[in-house]
Amino acid sequence: QVQLVESGGGLVQAGGSLRLSCAASGRTFGTYAMGWFRQAPGKEREFVAGISWTGRQTYYQDSVKGRFTISRDNAKNTVYLQMNSLKPEDTAVYSCAANSGPYYRPSEPSEYDYWGQGTQVTVSS
């Protein structure tokens, strides 16, 4: 069983930056594609960013492309989300997720087998 723990959330003003981390258990982390999702109160969960197990391919929701960067360090069993130029509409609980299957469609929640509990990101206007 894989455990994912997010950290790095907080309160920032618009235009500021945060770096989220997702620490994963297990020796097979390096074989998992990883993703970040977010959900605001009363809103549907939405895909934010994804990364292949090799780290060679990255994927982004259009609204965050150019502002957010997903990366991973397999030696540390950790995936990161660097968030720059934050906007109030970025406010949400951010969760990381892991895909352990042979195929990966980054924006599809059903592709992910394990989920973290989330970390709150609040951006003031």
Side-chain angles (χ1 to χ4, degrees):
Q1 186 172 354
V2 175
Q3 182 178 354
L4 305 174
V5 180
E6 303 95 337
S7 62
L11 174 64
V12 297
Q13 59 183 308
S17 298
L18 284 174
R19 189 194 193 200
L20 305 184
S21 298
C22 174
S25 66
R27 296 179 180 272
T28 58
F29 172 79
T31 70
Y32 300 158
M34 300 291 294
W36 286 97
F37 289 76
R38 66 187 182 187
Q39 187 169 26
K43 300 291 184 66
E44 62 186 355
R45 175 182 287 174
E46 65 177 357
F47 169 76
V48 178
I51 188 167
S52 64
W53 71 275
T54 64
R56 294 179 181 176
Q57 301 294 325
T58 58
Y59 313 88
Y60 298 95
Q61 182 198 113
D62 288 343
S63 68
V64 308
K65 194 170 186 177
R67 299 188 298 121
F68 292 9
T69 302
I70 188 171
S71 62
R72 66 190 300 158
D73 186 340
N74 289 350
K76 296 181 178 180
N77 285 4
T78 302
V79 63
Y80 305 96
L81 185 68
Q82 178 67 47
M83 305 185 294
N84 299 326
S85 301
L86 284 162
K87 304 174 181 179
E89 52 262 44
D90 295 319
T91 295
V93 173
Y94 285 69
S95 300
C96 66
N99 172 283
S100 61
Y103 301 102
Y104 179 54
R105 295 184 296 168
S107 64
E108 294 294 330
S110 63
E111 292 288 326
Y112 296 88
D113 305 296
Y114 304 100
W115 294 81
Q117 293 181 328
T119 185
Q120 177 71 47
V121 172
T122 302
V123 184
S124 62
S125 59

